[in-house]
Amino acid sequence: ATMLSAAGYRSGAAGALRRGRPRLGRTPLQGQGGGRHLSTTDKLVTATDTSCDEDNNKNEIPTENTNNYATPPLSPTTSDYVTAALDLSKARLSALVVVTTGAGFLTAGGPLSYATLAAATAGTALCSSSASTLNQIFEVDRDKRMKRTRNRPLVRGIVTPQTATALAATTGISGGSILALGTDPVTAALGVGNIALYAGLYTYLKPRSEINTWVGAVVGAVPPVMGWTAATGGSLFDLEAALLGSTLFLWQFPHFFALSWMHRTDYARGGFQMVPVNDIDTNGDRTAALINRYTWYMSTIPIASSVLGATSSMFAVEGIVLNAYALYVAKRFDKERSNSNARKVFLTSLWYLPCLMTLFILHSRRWRNTIEEDEQTELEDNDVVAILRRRLSQIRNAGRELCLHEILAIAEADENDQSDAKSKEEKCPVVLGKSKVTEVGAATVVAVTAEGMQRGTK
């Protein structure tokens, strides 16, 4: 009966094609005629699959393939292979990695080496490509089960595992070599180590433990640190490197938890241990709590960087606006755990990160301290970095005109009395608060030291 049914399908499909109409086949999970019978588990998954309905409908691929993924083209073209290489490399993810690496490099200020910047970004992108390709090689069987990954090149058979392995080895070796030759040993070690962390520990933990998300956040936090170390010759333990890494680490939790909540049923099909997958029975209580918690943690970065002197005080003020909206959408998801609210959290994270990184660079103390130096010679006047610094200075000055404390305080100062202007500037609540924190900290250190000396004399 199965053979006759299959023969009838092929005959009907051929007739439909001759008449100019494609015949749409049913996938196994679409049921009703043909294919295997649904098990109890399949029926439960199909009946309860309400996560990200719009995406699921959009991604449905009509096919007679019993593995529920698209059939590979009969003869792949060069364009198919190029697209496959980009998909294996996860080109959009690699682009994000390049942007964060470049942001980390630019945060260090000048002098800027264009060759080093090119080596840092290209090497990081190639390392990211290698890690992503290895990840798909290891997860091809799980990718077959998921709607959002069933069109990947290895699943469809456009490329073989051997070809994908060759691509991963080529990009990994070339990426590590470019970083080693074009930057410094620390940056090269971070790049190669991140391949191992992503393709090794992170991929291994995904079907075994929820902690995989925290390991993945470490992977995402490394690229901006690589940019910083490349620009500074390997200074791994600078304050700015810690702030950049912390920003990317904390940002990934609301970003990924929102994404995995929308696709929670799909991740369950793949057998991945994600918090939203294991959080369905409690209606997303843990997911919502984690999104809120890490959004609050993330909101402290602008304040911390301003208090610690890495950026100007205006970064803290502007960060309040960004983080207020991020907290608002996180709170909405907490009140109503719908896919729509999860999508708002996810989309907010997409524009939040570039905005925050841009403001970090804009208010970086290192950029501000070198603006005057770039205006000294004619050569520097024509330099791209010098032009960028002067543009940043113009943006800061424009922003000061909109600052409330500037309007109310400094505008009242006598332009010829610099001391009076300085006293007015100190009325800024952020500057005043930072100075008070410094005073309290210094007083505490003095008090503790004095007490220790008294005990020592006794």
Side-chain angles (χ1 to χ4, degrees):
T2 303
M3 293 174 64
L4 289 173
S5 175
Y9 177 89
R10 286 193 291 270
S11 176
L17 288 176
R18 283 194 298 269
R19 292 189 299 270
R21 298 195 310 271
R23 178 181 177 90
L24 300 184
R26 294 184 184 272
T27 62
L29 289 182
Q30 289 173 304
Q32 297 188 6
R36 62 176 176 81
H37 292 290
L38 295 179
S39 66
T40 303
T41 303
D42 290 333
K43 291 178 181 178
L44 179 62
V45 169
T46 305
T48 59
D49 187 4
T50 58
S51 65
C52 212
D53 291 332
E54 301 89 342
D55 293 340
N56 289 344
N57 293 334
K58 180 179 66 176
N59 293 331
E60 285 292 348
I61 306 268
T63 173
E64 63 176 304
N65 194 304
T66 57
N67 285 324
N68 195 30
Y69 57 92
T71 306
L74 295 178
S75 85
T77 64
T78 302
S79 176
D80 291 328
Y81 286 121
V82 172
T83 303
L86 293 175
D87 289 342
L88 286 171
S89 301
K90 296 182 180 177
R92 286 181 293 182
L93 177 61
S94 296
L96 176 63
V97 168
V98 169
V99 170
T100 57
T101 303
F105 193 97
L106 292 176
T107 303
L112 177 63
S113 170
Y114 298 108
T116 306
L117 174 60
T121 52
T124 306
L126 289 168
C127 288
S128 175
S129 170
S130 176
S132 297
T133 303
L134 290 171
N135 171 264
Q136 292 183 58
I137 293 172
F138 298 146
E139 291 183 350
V140 62
D141 290 333
R142 296 182 183 275
D143 286 345
K144 293 178 183 179
R145 311 175 197 170
M146 299 174 61
K147 292 181 179 180
R148 63 188 299 265
T149 58
R150 65 186 180 186
N151 285 324
R152 286 179 172 175
L154 284 170
V155 177
R156 296 181 62 194
I158 296 177
V159 296
T160 65
Q162 293 76 16
T163 302
T165 302
L167 175 65
T170 301
T171 53
I173 293 172
S174 58
S177 301
I178 290 173
L179 291 173
L181 297 174
T183 59
D184 57 86
V186 173
T187 306
L190 288 173
V192 175
N194 227 24
I195 297 176
L197 189 60
Y198 185 84
L201 183 60
Y202 172 68
T203 302
Y204 173 82
L205 288 173
K206 283 176 70 177
R208 294 173 174 83
S209 173
E210 292 177 354
I211 201 172
N212 73 81
T213 303
W214 280 260
V215 175
V218 174
V219 174
V222 170
V225 178
M226 291 174 62
W228 176 269
T229 56
T232 59
S235 298
L236 182 60
F237 300 105
D238 289 342
L239 172 63
E240 290 85 352
L243 290 170
L244 289 167
S246 298
T247 299
L248 266 293
F249 178 80
L250 297 173
W251 170 82
Q252 288 175 87
F253 292 102
H255 172 81
F256 181 74
F257 285 138
L259 175 67
S260 55
W261 176 262
M262 291 189 290
H263 297 284
R264 57 196 180 278
T265 306
D266 220 12
Y267 278 110
R269 286 195 190 96
F272 293 117
Q273 294 297 313
M274 305 298 176
V275 171
V277 172
N278 301 327
D279 198 24
I280 296 177
D281 293 337
T282 60
N283 194 31
D285 287 347
R286 292 174 56 217
T287 304
L290 286 167
I291 288 176
N292 271 279
R293 182 186 308 167
Y294 281 96
T295 303
W296 275 107
Y297 292 162
M298 189 169 59
S299 67
T300 65
I301 295 294
I303 298 173
S305 61
S306 296
V307 170
L308 296 173
T311 61
S312 68
S313 302
M314 285 307 299
F315 183 44
V317 175
E318 293 164 354
I320 292 174
V321 178
L322 286 178
N323 289 302
Y325 186 78
L327 289 166
Y328 166 73
V329 294
K331 192 65 177 177
R332 284 193 61 180
F333 177 75
D334 187 26
K335 291 182 177 180
E336 182 184 352
R337 285 78 180 270
S338 65
N339 288 334
S340 176
N341 285 335
R343 186 174 287 106
K344 287 184 176 67
V345 175
F346 177 76
L347 294 176
T348 298
S349 70
L350 294 182
W351 60 257
Y352 174 95
L353 183 63
C355 288
L356 191 71
M357 298 296 286
T358 300
L359 291 175
F360 192 98
I361 297 172
L362 178 65
H363 297 293
S364 171
R365 293 289 187 186
R366 290 181 177 252
W367 278 88
R368 173 170 291 188
N369 293 337
T370 53
I371 289 176
E372 294 81 4
E373 298 175 2
D374 291 326
E375 298 175 350
Q376 293 178 357
T377 66
E378 181 179 355
L379 176 62
E380 289 175 336
D381 283 340
N382 295 325
D383 185 75
V384 174
V385 181
I387 295 173
L388 179 59
R389 288 199 181 108
R390 288 195 295 274
R391 178 63 62 183
L392 290 177
S393 180
Q394 293 171 2
I395 295 174
R396 290 193 193 101
N397 292 333
R400 293 183 68 180
E401 296 177 0
L402 302 176
C403 178
L404 183 61
H405 95 271
E406 294 279 355
I407 296 173
L408 297 179
I410 298 181
E412 300 175 0
D414 184 2
E415 295 181 358
N416 297 324
D417 189 348
Q418 297 298 326
S419 62
D420 188 25
K422 180 64 177 177
S423 66
K424 296 291 186 180
E425 185 176 5
E426 292 175 352
K427 292 182 180 180
C428 173
V430 179
V431 176
L432 184 61
K434 185 165 65 173
S435 64
K436 293 300 181 183
V437 169
T438 304
E439 292 174 5
V440 170
T444 302
V445 172
V446 172
V448 171
T449 304
E451 183 178 354
M453 294 178 61
Q454 290 177 359
R455 290 180 179 179
T457 56
K458 293 179 179 180

